[in-house]
């Protein structure tokens, strides 16, 4: 499109505000930056001929623009023109004499509304006077703009007739139609001529006739005029919200110097002030979604107007849009919501011109913390995928799903963000199109859940030891799981390493609290575990040495708080335990803090004790009694703000019959849809130069979602064709919150009976057995078994990088699974690794197996791109995705048609029994290759950048066969060996690299 309009003069086009009084030459330096490069793209200039032009408003179809321009030598005033944006044709709408302003195209496109003085008998004299005035170079009186003769007119474009809509004395202008075309909102100072003015009003009106302007609404034919605002000060520039229920406008202060943006309902009620900037903020205009508005403000300097956004609900601070030098104002969204038009002096000549740019609605929503509009675009992407994909298992079908989910503009699908909303909307739309029914909350496809969205320390934190105040972050720090609030001053008892380990296999009991009374006091304990013990001992102690575990013991013994100290012999990175902002742990009911060695030594000295000596004594693993630290008292106030976010799962149901089957347990098929965003929330393995990039998560786990959608499509088609004699319903679920800690699937399992009150319940629970089961799984006792309600759970997490083998985990959760999987694999022919591991898998299957539901989980293995921005769609094996989808579809089909649900019985094998449950304290930064198959040793798919293994020279592809003198045959040997490592102590690592055996030295570091 090439609209060529000429140069403008240096003033801004007169908007529905007295913009002419603004001195645009007084541009002050800009401070701060906007989001122009994020929100606007393809900025182009639509230049206009004529002396001045502006106020471009678009027709409902976006194909025409009405504007005002001074381009007639005989008439110095604005006239109204309509331009066809496709052809560039321009048609004059106003009659050519008198003044006109503020036009609007009727939604039908047949009529143009504008204000005009065309019936003023003095019109031609005024034109003449204006021409003379301009020639003389003098300034015209500002009041001239609010000519009492302005009336509103509608011109029929078909026959050229004008219809006068207002007849009141005074200024009637700034009209716009409601979206349905039935109403007109406008501004008028007619009251100044019809009613008795107060002295103050009179005074103001003398200075500025705009001070009496208020907002009115009337029917489109001019009937039924009602006044909506009635305050002193100029209320003007009203526009309807896209749904026609509200009007936005700007209200000037009495003195006319500042203005704020407001909205109200169309009867003048529910007035909301949307801005509180204290500058001149005006020209608000709704985005077609109705969710936010754009306006202009000079908060950055008197003549320096910038565009800003504000939410329609007025929540959150306005967000700055433009940051280019010069005036930016009079913004208008095009009806499609994807383009913005505004007036700017960002030209070489500094003349104001009309500009247009592409608008990024998704980015705007992110900046405004608004839910992403489930755009028709996302929905139609899903529908298009449904339409063009085949019920069979085509690699291209999976590719299409992955391509959508891994789009950078979904921002890495971080839980609780717009990208997550879009991804889940896509899945919901797709499943709906397959005939699935909503199985989320309130008849929707969505199930929302809370998750911890980070914690921060407030400024309430204080700690005092023996009368002296400690400095936060320097001398002391609370732990993220600490109780909040005050812990009164009380004594301190030293309890060594703070562990209680029961006796076993000939090893005597280890109890730091023997003969020690800690009730009502602080307990001070050393971090980690004794430093000089054997690897075997370390292994044993590892699972009792986490700060959280130590805190629970102190709590159970009646302590008021726990103080961690690293001690001089330990080699951890930081003496203070890092305050984990991403921590999701529930808090413990006592204060938990860490202090530096220096502070601890001070406390020991006052008690005539020696910290180093006490630690040394304990470091060989022998027990020494703890003791009260005489003369020491501590008090602390802990302030932690724990934020909560909201994420959402998608849950859809395919009924076995016509109605939900409330008797037979359901089959659930799931995959997590969330990923790491830009990696800021933790979990990212990005290299330094990749930080902050979008982690698109193609393998993790767009691949799993794609496979799941393929399976859903196949089963729906089979059912439709009458080939699926299903005995039970199928639930298909896309989980969110997985990367942050399996929150979505856990919440679903927790809410299961709430969501489906008619689901079969367990026969009367025996409290004791529930306890025992929960204990066996290391879960809490509130994890009600779901065995009677869920036949099996099938999971797909990272199935995009099939190399030699597909790993199927969970084989150990039901006795029949191994043979069932082999049987269904006959027609598919995948190479399989059947993994008995069922519990403690770092995936959504955990939520189910811990509730006694048999699980199967597909996985093609970790890799060097895992959790980095390099996990991109181009690296996936789509043939593999299709095959895996087919295998799981056949297994699922078997579960649906089988009359018996698989039996739940855990049998995870020998290795699993030894697999450590403790949090590993030592860190090497290796990424195991879970699909290496029958290799002896632990094959690595990669090493974390900058980790100890990388530094030692270990590489992806290496097979670790020995670590610290221990033989490594599998992942269990390996984790076991790591558990025995001492932080900071160099050990030998032996790897098989091709035909060579390479020995290297690696120094484990701490995780924190
Ligand atoms: Zn992941």
């Amino acid at each position: 499109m090439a609209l060529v309009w000429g140069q403008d003069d240096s003033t801004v086009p007169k908007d529905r505000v007295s913009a002419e009084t603004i001195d645009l030459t007084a541009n002050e330096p800009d401070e701060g930056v906007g989001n122009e490069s994020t929100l606007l793209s393809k900025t182009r200039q639509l230049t206009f001929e004529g002396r001045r032009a502006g106020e471009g408003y678009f027709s409902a179809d976006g194909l025409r623009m009405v504007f005002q321009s001074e381009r007639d030598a005989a008439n110095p005033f604005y006239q109204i023109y309509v331009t066809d944006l496709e052809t560039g044709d321009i048609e004059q709408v106003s009659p050519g004499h008198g003044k006109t302003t503020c036009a609007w195209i009727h939604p039908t496109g047949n009529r143009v509304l504008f204000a005009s003085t065309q019936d003023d008998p003095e019109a031609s004299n005024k034109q003449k006077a204006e021409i003379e005035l301009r020639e003389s170079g003098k300034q015209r009186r500002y009041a001239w703009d609010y000519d009492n003769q302005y009336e509103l007119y509608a011109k029929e474009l078909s026959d050229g007739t004008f219809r006068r809509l207002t007849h009141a004395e005074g200024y009637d202008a700034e009209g716009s139609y409601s979206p349905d075309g039935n109403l007109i909102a406008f501004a008028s100072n007619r009251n100044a001529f019809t009613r008795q003015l107060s002295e103050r009003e009179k005074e103001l009106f003398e200075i500025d006739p705009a001070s009496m302007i208020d907002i009115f609404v009337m029917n489109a034919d001019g009937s039924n005029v009602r006044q909506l605002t009635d305050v002193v000060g100029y209320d003007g520039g009203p526009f309807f919200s896209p749904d026609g229920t509200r009007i936005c406008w700007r209200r000037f202060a009495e003195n006319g110097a500042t203005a704020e943006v407001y909205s109200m309902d169309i009867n003048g009620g529910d007035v909301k002030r949307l801005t509180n900037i204290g500058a001149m903020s005006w020209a608000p205009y709704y985005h077609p979604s109705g969710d936010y508005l754009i306006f202009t403000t000079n908060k950055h300097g008197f003549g320096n107007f910038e565009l800003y956004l504000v939410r329609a609900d007025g929540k959150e601070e306005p967000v700055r849009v433009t940051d280019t030098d010069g005036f930016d104002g009079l913004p208008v969204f095009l009806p499609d919501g994807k383009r913005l038009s505004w007036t700017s002096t960002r030209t070489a000549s500094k003349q104001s011109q009309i500009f247009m740019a592409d608008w990024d609605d998704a980015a705007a929503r992110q900046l405004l913390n608004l839910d992403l509009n489930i755009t028709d675009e996302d929905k139609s992407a899903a529908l298009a995928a449904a339409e063009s994909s085949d019920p069979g298992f085509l690699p291209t079908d999976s590719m299409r799903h992955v391509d959508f989910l891994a789009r950078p503009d979904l921002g890495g699908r971080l839980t609780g963000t717009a990208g997550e909303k879009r991804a889940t909307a896509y899945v919901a739309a797709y499943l709906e199109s397959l005939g699935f029914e909503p199985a989320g909350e309130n008849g929707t496809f969505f199930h929302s859940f809370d998750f911890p969205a980070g914690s921060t320390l407030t400024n309430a934190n204080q700690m005092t030891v023996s009368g002296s105040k400690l400095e936060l972050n320097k001398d002391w720090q609370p732990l993220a799981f600490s109780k909040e609030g005050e812990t009164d001053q009380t004594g301190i008892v030293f309890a060594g390493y703070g562990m209680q380990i029961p006796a076993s296999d000939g090893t005597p009991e280890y109890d730091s609290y023997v003969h020690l009374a800690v009730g009502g006091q602080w307990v001070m304990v050393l971090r980690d575990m004794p430093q000089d013990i054997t690897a075997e001992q370390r292994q044993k102690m590892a699972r009792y040495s986490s700060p959280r575990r130590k805190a629970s013991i102190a709590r159970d013994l009646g302590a008021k708080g726990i103080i961690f100290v690293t001690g001089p012999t330990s080699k951890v990175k930081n003496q203070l335990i890092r305050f984990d902002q991403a921590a999701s742990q529930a808090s413990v009911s006592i204060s938990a803090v860490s202090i530096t060695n220096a502070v601890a030594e001070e406390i020991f000295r006052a008690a005539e004790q020696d910290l180093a000596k006490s630690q040394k004594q304990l470091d060989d693993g022998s027990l020494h009694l703890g003791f009260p630290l005489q003369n020491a008292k501590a008090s602390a106030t802990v302030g932690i703000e724990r934020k909560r976010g909201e994420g959402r799962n998608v849950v859809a149901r395919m009924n076995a019959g016509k109605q939900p089957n409330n008797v037979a347990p359901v089959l659930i098929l799931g995959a997590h849809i969330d990923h790491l965003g830009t990696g800021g929330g933790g979990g990212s393995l990005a290299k330094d130069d990749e930080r902050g990039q979008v982690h698109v998560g193609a393998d993790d786990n767009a691949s799993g979602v794609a496979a799941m959608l393929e399976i859903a499509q196949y089963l729906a088609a089979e059912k439709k064709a009458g080939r699926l004699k299903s005995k039970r319903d199928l639930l298909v679920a896309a989980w969110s919150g997985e990367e942050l800690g399996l929150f979505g699937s856990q919440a679903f399992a927790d809410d299961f009976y709430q969501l489906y009150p008619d689901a079969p319940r367990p026969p009367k629970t025996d409290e004791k057995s529930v306890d025992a089961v929960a204990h066996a799984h290391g879960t809490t006792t509130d994890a009600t078994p779901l065995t009677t309600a869920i036949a099996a759970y099938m999971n797909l997490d990272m199935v995009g990088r099939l190399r030699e083998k597909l790993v199927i985990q969970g084989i150990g959760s039901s006795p029949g699974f191994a043979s069932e999987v082999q049987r269904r694999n006959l027609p598919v022919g995948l190479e399989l690794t059947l993994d008995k591991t069922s519990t403690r898998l770092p995936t959504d299957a955990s939520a189910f197996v811990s509730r006694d539901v048999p699980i199967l989980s597909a996985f093609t293995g970790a890799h060097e791109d895992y959790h980095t921005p390099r996990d991109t769609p181009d690296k996936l094996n789509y043939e593999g995705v299709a095959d895996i989808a087919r295998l799981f579809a056949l297994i699922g089909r078997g579960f649906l048609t089988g009359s018996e649900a698989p039996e739940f019985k855990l049998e995870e094998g020998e290795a699993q029994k030894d697999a450590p449950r403790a949090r590993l304290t030592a860190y090497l930064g290796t990424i195991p290759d879970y699909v290496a198959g029958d290799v002896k040793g632990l094959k690595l798919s990669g090493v974390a950048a900058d980790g100890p293994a990388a530094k030692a020279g270990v590489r992806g592809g290496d097979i670790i066969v020995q670590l610290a003198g221990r033989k490594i045959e599998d992942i269990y040997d390996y984790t076991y060996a790591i558990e025995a490592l001492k932080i900071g102590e160099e050990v030998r690592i032996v790897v098989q690299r091709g035909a060579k055996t390479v020995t290297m030295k690696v120094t484990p570091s701490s995780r924190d």
Side-chain angles (χ1 to χ4, degrees):
M1 134 184 44
L3 284 176
V4 186
W5 286 14
Q7 290 297 305
D8 204 334
D9 71 5
S10 63
T11 57
V12 154
K14 174 170 138 327
D15 149 65
R16 311 184 167 204
V17 65
S18 49
E20 315 217 319
T21 57
I22 298 161
D23 177 8
L24 292 172
T25 57
N27 270 339
E28 281 160 39
D30 221 344
E31 55 181 66
V33 284
N35 298 285
E36 189 168 317
S37 59
T38 311
L39 295 168
L40 302 179
S41 56
K42 295 194 202 146
T43 301
R44 56 264 189 201
Q45 189 172 337
L46 307 178
T47 51
F48 293 85
E49 83 184 51
R51 184 171 163 269
R52 304 193 299 169
E55 292 225 41
Y57 298 101
F58 295 84
S59 59
D61 61 10
L63 298 178
R64 286 178 297 163
M65 178 173 77
V66 66
F67 63 97
Q68 59 198 36
S69 175
E70 294 174 3
R71 53 177 59 197
D72 182 349
N75 186 348
F77 298 115
Y78 283 126
Q79 292 298 306
I80 304 297
Y81 301 85
V82 170
T83 178
D84 183 314
L85 296 171
E86 286 182 322
T87 62
D89 289 349
I90 293 177
E91 180 190 347
Q92 180 173 331
V93 173
S94 55
H97 60 274
K99 308 171 190 176
T100 63
T101 188
C102 305
W104 193 265
I105 301 173
H106 191 269
T108 56
N110 304 329
R111 202 180 299 161
V112 173
L113 172 73
F114 60 97
S116 170
T117 64
Q118 63 201 67
D119 290 334
D120 178 6
E122 288 296 304
S124 54
N125 287 339
K126 287 178 182 172
Q127 286 170 216
K128 225 178 281 166
E130 174 73 10
I131 291 169
E132 282 163 18
L133 188 76
R134 285 189 188 176
E135 281 167 358
S136 75
K138 281 189 218 143
Q139 288 292 307
R140 159 164 58 86
R141 252 189 89 215
Y142 154 62
W144 192 256
D145 288 321
Y146 302 98
D147 195 311
N148 295 344
Q149 299 296 321
Y150 267 125
E151 301 294 349
L152 288 170
Y153 293 83
K155 182 181 186 180
E156 290 298 332
L157 295 179
S158 54
D159 58 11
T161 55
F162 293 99
R163 177 170 187 169
R164 179 167 165 178
L165 303 173
T166 57
H167 299 271
E169 190 178 354
Y171 166 89
D172 295 297
E174 305 174 19
S176 60
Y177 284 112
S178 59
D180 62 7
N182 293 332
L183 297 175
I184 292 171
F186 66 102
S188 172
N189 61 4
R190 54 181 65 196
N191 284 331
F193 303 89
T194 53
R195 72 167 166 82
Q196 193 69 41
L197 299 188
S198 69
E199 281 308 308
R200 175 90 184 117
E201 284 175 332
K202 251 187 226 162
E203 203 181 301
L204 281 168
F205 186 65
E206 273 300 301
I207 308 166
D208 178 5
S211 66
M212 283 298 293
I213 296 178
D214 281 306
I215 309 257
F216 292 76
V217 157
M218 63 185 177
N219 294 349
D221 62 3
S223 63
N224 193 18
V225 178
R226 32 301 172 199
Q227 181 172 351
L228 302 188
T229 64
D230 190 14
V231 297
V232 182
Y234 183 4
D235 287 306
F239 293 115
F240 285 91
S241 61
D243 65 359
T245 62
R246 295 186 72 81
I247 288 170
C248 70
W249 85 101
R250 42 95 186 124
R251 168 171 288 168
F252 272 80
E254 265 187 40
N255 63 11
T258 61
E260 303 288 353
V261 173
Y262 284 76
S263 77
M264 61 186 161
D265 67 34
I266 56 170
N267 302 311
D270 191 26
V271 172
K272 268 190 209 159
R273 176 178 173 153
L274 303 180
T275 64
N276 193 5
I277 295 176
M280 195 185 289
S281 304
W282 50 282
Y285 197 92
Y286 276 102
H287 185 263
S289 64
D291 294 340
Y292 57 92
L293 300 90
I294 191 162
F295 64 99
T296 184
T297 179
N298 66 352
K299 84 177 257 194
H300 297 287
F302 187 73
N304 181 18
F305 282 84
E306 299 291 355
L307 300 182
Y308 268 73
L309 300 175
V310 66
R311 283 167 54 142
D313 58 13
K315 288 182 186 157
E316 312 268 333
E317 286 298 301
V319 166
R320 183 168 170 184
V321 177
T322 52
D323 44 33
T324 298
D325 278 352
F327 171 90
D328 290 290
L330 307 167
V332 194
F333 288 109
L334 271 79
D336 62 7
K338 292 176 187 164
R339 286 169 293 166
L340 178 77
S341 167
W342 78 107
T343 301
S344 176
T345 59
R346 55 179 66 208
T347 54
S349 58
K350 307 288 179 209
Q351 305 283 322
S352 61
Q353 302 285 0
I354 292 188
F355 283 73
M356 193 185 281
D358 288 359
W359 178 253
D360 190 337
D361 173 62
R365 284 168 188 281
Q366 225 139 16
L367 288 165
L368 291 163
N369 269 328
L370 275 167
D371 269 4
L372 198 107
N373 206 13
I374 298 322
T375 58
D376 295 338
E377 213 179 317
D378 294 339
K379 244 191 163 157
S380 49
L383 297 182
E387 216 165 85
S388 56
S389 69
D390 188 277
F393 300 95
L394 300 185
T396 47
D397 291 351
S398 298
M399 195 187 299
R400 193 193 322 269
H401 294 310
V402 170
D403 276 347
F404 178 85
L405 296 168
R407 282 162 56 163
D409 63 310
L410 265 62
R413 309 187 301 280
L414 187 65
T415 307
T417 65
E420 178 222 44
K421 299 279 182 305
R422 291 184 64 183
T424 47
Y426 173 91
V427 169
Y430 185 83
L431 292 171
E432 186 174 28
S433 78
L434 298 179
F436 277 76
E437 288 178 19
E441 303 151 323
N442 312 318
T444 70
F445 282 97
F446 305 107
H447 166 243
S448 57
F449 59 88
D450 258 17
F451 66 93
S455 335
T456 45
L457 291 170
T458 69
N459 44 26
N461 288 289
Q462 276 188 18
M463 184 165 182
T464 307
V465 172
S466 304
S468 46
K469 243 177 126 176
L470 302 187
E471 199 179 317
L472 183 69
N473 302 332
K474 189 171 155 271
D475 302 323
W476 80 288
Q477 207 163 50
L479 275 77
F481 59 75
S482 174
K483 178 193 89 161
E484 288 163 65
E486 275 172 62
T487 301
D488 296 338
Q489 174 151 308
T490 182
I492 309 174
V493 178
F494 178 67
Y497 275 97
M499 294 187 286
Q500 286 186 324
I501 306 170
S504 67
D505 304 333
T507 334
E509 181 190 30
Y510 183 99
D511 184 355
S512 305
Y513 289 90
V514 170
H515 302 310
L516 201 59
V518 298
Q521 317 226 54
W522 287 95
V523 177
M524 190 195 290
V525 302
L526 292 159
R527 255 174 97 178
D528 202 21
M529 56 187 131
Q531 299 294 301
D532 305 323
I533 51 180
T534 64
E536 284 72 21
Q537 283 176 300
R538 204 171 291 131
Q539 200 117 49
K540 194 157 206 132
M541 286 187 167
R543 49 199 85 175
Y544 299 92
S545 69
S546 77
R548 185 66 172 77
R549 182 120 191 188
K550 290 181 181 181
S552 310
I553 291 166
R555 174 202 60 201
D556 293 347
L557 293 171
K560 275 208 158 173
I562 184 165
I563 300 171
F564 291 93
V565 59
T566 295
T569 65
S570 171
K571 300 221 170 34
V572 293
K573 277 189 217 156
N574 299 303
Q575 289 187 9
L576 294 180
I577 299 177
R578 188 172 62 91
F579 179 79
D580 185 1
Q581 300 200 327
S584 55
Q585 291 161 306
S587 60
V588 71
S589 59
I590 59 171
S591 289
V593 302
S594 74
I595 58 173
T596 57
N597 290 345
V599 174
E601 272 154 11
E602 198 65 44
I603 295 170
F604 269 69
R605 253 197 302 278
E608 292 175 13
Q609 295 281 354
D610 183 337
L611 174 63
K613 213 174 115 199
S614 294
Q615 188 178 26
K616 273 264 154 56
Q617 281 183 342
L618 293 160
D619 272 349
D620 63 1
S622 60
L623 259 181
H624 293 266
L625 296 186
F627 47 83
L629 288 157
Q630 306 293 347
N631 308 318
K633 286 201 182 317
S635 64
T637 304
V638 172
I640 297 173
E641 195 195 335
R642 296 185 164 97
K643 288 185 212 110
R644 308 289 301 175
E646 196 182 279
R648 68 176 192 187
N649 301 319
V650 181
V651 201
R653 185 189 289 263
M654 184 175 88
N655 292 331
K658 286 209 168 63
Q659 297 294 317
N661 184 336
N662 294 320
V663 184
V666 294
L667 173 68
I668 305 184
L669 170 68
H672 81 84
I673 194 162
D674 65 304
H675 197 51
L676 302 169
T678 50
S684 171
L685 295 172
K687 293 181 188 151
D688 284 343
D689 59 355
E690 296 168 342
R691 299 254 155 84
Q693 293 177 17
V694 174
H695 293 47
V696 297
D699 182 31
D700 186 11
N701 184 31
S703 67
V705 175
M708 177 180 85
L709 296 181
E710 282 288 279
I711 297 167
Q713 186 189 31
Y714 162 81
L715 292 172
E718 287 294 285
K719 188 189 170 210
K720 210 170 162 196
R723 285 193 295 265
L724 186 71
K725 302 280 174 259
S726 197
K727 302 275 196 312
R728 59 192 82 255
D729 294 355
L730 168 70
L731 288 181
V732 172
W735 313 117
S736 188
E738 196 267 357
E739 302 283 12
L740 300 178
L742 312 181
F743 293 116
S745 51
Q746 289 286 0
F748 175 81
D750 287 345
D751 295 349
F752 190 84
Y753 283 113
Q754 230 168 293
L755 286 165
Y756 317 113
D758 298 331
R761 303 212 173 225
K764 185 88 184 111
T765 350
D766 174 351
E767 294 291 332
K768 261 194 204 137
S769 75
V770 172
D771 257 10
V773 166
H775 189 77
H777 297 156
T779 58
T780 49
T781 48
D782 55 14
T784 322
L786 292 170
T787 325
T788 46
I790 304 172
Y793 172 70
M794 298 171 66
N795 191 59
L796 299 139
D797 193 354
M798 296 175 65
V799 295
R801 298 247 193 159
L802 183 68
R803 282 157 290 178
E804 293 112 60
K805 292 189 169 195
L806 169 70
V807 181
I808 300 184
Q809 298 157 322
I811 297 292
S813 64
S814 181
F817 275 0
S819 58
E820 177 69 15
V821 169
Q822 308 272 28
R823 183 147 60 97
R824 302 295 171 190
N825 188 39
L826 278 180
V828 188
L830 281 164
E831 289 280 324
L832 301 178
T833 298
L834 298 186
D835 185 340
K836 288 192 163 183
T837 313
S838 306
T839 58
R840 298 186 289 275
L841 292 171
T843 180
D844 295 299
S846 286
F848 297 93
V849 76
S850 65
R851 286 170 176 79
D852 299 2
V853 174
I855 57 139
L856 285 174
S857 188
F859 178 43
T860 52
H863 42 80
E864 263 179 308
D865 301 327
Y866 171 70
H867 279 202
T868 74
R870 283 168 275 127
D871 178 8
T872 48
D874 54 299
K875 295 180 179 151
L876 301 199
N877 172 359
Y878 293 99
E879 305 276 342
V881 177
D883 284 346
I884 294 162
R886 186 157 166 235
L887 172 61
F888 265 55
L890 295 178
I891 297 171
R893 187 195 175 97
F895 289 150
L896 285 174
T897 52
S899 20
E900 294 298 318
E903 181 195 356
F904 175 75
K905 194 172 162 206
L906 279 182
E907 202 258 298
E908 301 190 72
E910 279 309 297
Q912 184 57 31
K913 254 199 293 181
D914 293 336
R917 282 167 54 182
R919 192 184 69 114
L920 297 172
T921 48
Y923 172 71
L924 293 182
T926 50
I927 303 166
D929 179 349
Y930 291 96
V931 269
D934 287 336
V935 278
K936 275 273 176 252
L938 182 89
K939 188 169 175 193
L940 297 180
S941 59
V943 290
D946 313 324
K951 283 183 191 150
V954 180
R955 300 183 205 154
D958 285 353
I959 299 166
I960 301 175
V961 292
Q962 214 188 79
L963 179 64
R966 284 166 182 260
K967 192 170 180 188
I968 309 294
E969 294 195 320
D970 56 24
I971 182 97
Y972 304 111
D973 290 343
Y974 184 62
T975 25
Y976 201 56
I978 290 184
E979 205 177 59
L981 294 180
K982 182 178 169 187
I983 293 160
E985 190 176 86
E986 190 181 84
V987 293
R988 272 184 356 149
I989 184 166
V990 184
V991 305
Q992 205 67 49
R993 186 176 292 164
K996 279 195 295 187
T997 303
V998 185
T999 303
M1000 287 160 282
K1001 284 177 175 165
V1002 64
T1003 308
S1005 70
S1006 64
R1007 281 166 195 272
D1008 295 331

